[in-house]
């Protein structure tokens, strides 16, 4: 397994629209394993292939504290959603920035698992937020896109400061 470099906002590659996965094979499963390792290492609760510069519709997630809720979503589609929630979000591509975003409270998602089997489930709370956030990545969207111009500017300054501190 290997840790993968994560694209950092505002890298234009984060704006790429991902293509559907065509084959769920061993090469894809190796990528999935690397994505989980990278996500847990950071640590984060979700990672879209877009963020590691692979532009296919693939997401890994685990919103648990103890690595017991691993989810693989290949070619995910939200088939139903309900309600509204505001949740403070962060993103491995936008380190140190956290901001409230309005999302659906529950979503029903249909996807393929790591064996290529289709499944569907309904979930609310943080996992629902995570699904919507990661699916945005596959469409070239980043959560800071939802912020007001002022809040986005503050976020960009914070990010620039972080990037400078990292270089020192
Ligand atoms: Ni993100």
């Amino acid at each position: 397994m290997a840790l993968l470099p994560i694209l950092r906002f505002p890298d234009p590659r984060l704006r790429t629209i991902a293509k559907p996965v065509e084959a769920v094979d061993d090469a894809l499963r190796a990528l999935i394993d690397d994505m989980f390792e990278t996500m847990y290492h950071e640590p984060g609760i979700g990672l879209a292939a877009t963020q590691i510069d692979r532009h296919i519709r693939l997401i890994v997630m685990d919103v648990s504290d103890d690595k017991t809720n691993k989810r693989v979503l290949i070619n995910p589609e939200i088939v139903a959603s309900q309600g509204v929630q505001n949740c403070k979000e962060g993103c491995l591509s936008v380190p140190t920035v956290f901001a409230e975003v309005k999302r659906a409270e529950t979503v029903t998602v249909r996807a393929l698992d790591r064996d290529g089997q289709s499944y569907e489930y309904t979930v609310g709370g943080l996992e629902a937020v995570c699904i919507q956030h990661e699916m945005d990545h596959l469409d070239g969207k980043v959560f800071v896109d939802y912020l007001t111009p002022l809040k986005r500017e503050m976020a960009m300054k914070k990010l620039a400061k972080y990037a400078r501190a990292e270089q020192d």
Side-chain angles (χ1 to χ4, degrees), residues 19-22 56-58 73-77 110-112:
K19 293 194 165 66
V21 170
E22 281 173 8
I56 53 173
R57 304 191 81 82
L58 166 64
L73 292 95
I74 298 166
N75 298 341
E77 280 175 85
R110 185 184 298 151
L112 303 178

Side-chain angles (χ1 to χ4, degrees), residues 104-118:
E105 167 61 27
T106 64
V107 296
T108 301
V109 64
R110 185 184 298 151
L112 303 178
D113 66 14
R114 64 179 286 132
D115 298 314
Q117 299 296 312
S118 179

Side-chain angles (χ1 to χ4, degrees), residues 39 92 120:
M39 181 189 84
L92 295 177
E120 191 177 300

Side-chain angles (χ1 to χ4, degrees), residues 6-9 11-19 35 46-52 54-60 89-94 103 129-146:
I6 294 176
L7 297 180
R8 184 75 62 82
F9 184 82
D11 191 310
R13 289 172 288 182
L14 287 169
R15 298 307 184 184
T16 312
I17 310 235
K19 293 194 165 66
M35 285 175 65
L47 187 65
T50 307
Q51 293 176 274
I52 47 123
R54 290 290 303 269
H55 302 286
I56 53 173
R57 304 191 81 82
L58 166 64
I59 290 165
V60 301
E89 297 186 19
C91 179
L92 295 177
S93 293
V94 197
R103 302 283 190 185
V129 169
C130 192
I131 289 169
Q132 293 168 82
H133 175 118
E134 302 308 332
M135 283 184 66
D136 270 356
H137 278 303
L138 302 182
D139 290 326
K141 287 187 228 157
V142 182
F143 82 107
V144 289
D145 299 346
Y146 295 106

Side-chain angles (χ1 to χ4, degrees), residues 14-166:
L14 287 169
R15 298 307 184 184
T16 312
I17 310 235
K19 293 194 165 66
V21 170
E22 281 173 8
V24 182
D25 53 15
D26 286 346
L28 191 79
R29 280 184 282 273
L31 178 64
I32 289 168
D33 291 341
D34 287 346
M35 285 175 65
F36 270 116
E37 193 186 7
T38 303
M39 181 189 84
Y40 286 133
H41 175 80
E42 286 292 325
I45 60 171
L47 187 65
T50 307
Q51 293 176 274
I52 47 123
D53 202 23
R54 290 290 303 269
H55 302 286
I56 53 173
R57 304 191 81 82
L58 166 64
I59 290 165
V60 301
M61 291 187 336
D62 186 348
V63 299
S64 75
D65 293 328
D66 53 2
K67 304 187 183 180
T68 53
N69 191 21
K70 280 172 101 165
R71 295 269 190 205
V72 175
L73 292 95
I74 298 166
N75 298 341
E77 280 175 85
I78 290 177
V79 294
S81 61
Q82 228 179 356
V84 172
Q85 61 175 322
N86 283 294
C87 184
K88 202 162 221 185
E89 297 186 19
C91 179
L92 295 177
S93 293
V94 197
T96 72
V97 174
F98 297 89
E100 252 187 27
V101 179
K102 193 192 244 183
R103 302 283 190 185
E105 167 61 27
T106 64
V107 296
T108 301
V109 64
R110 185 184 298 151
L112 303 178
D113 66 14
R114 64 179 286 132
D115 298 314
Q117 299 296 312
S118 179
Y119 70 107
E120 191 177 300
Y121 75 115
T122 300
V123 70
L126 180 60
E127 189 164 344
V129 169
C130 192
I131 289 169
Q132 293 168 82
H133 175 118
E134 302 308 332
M135 283 184 66
D136 270 356
H137 278 303
L138 302 182
D139 290 326
K141 287 187 228 157
V142 182
F143 82 107
V144 289
D145 299 346
Y146 295 106
L147 305 184
T148 61
L150 180 65
K151 280 194 178 155
R152 192 162 46 240
E153 196 182 319
M154 281 163 56
M156 292 301 293
K157 276 184 187 155
K158 200 166 178 196
L159 193 58
K161 197 173 161 189
Y162 173 78
R164 278 197 305 275
E166 228 179 9

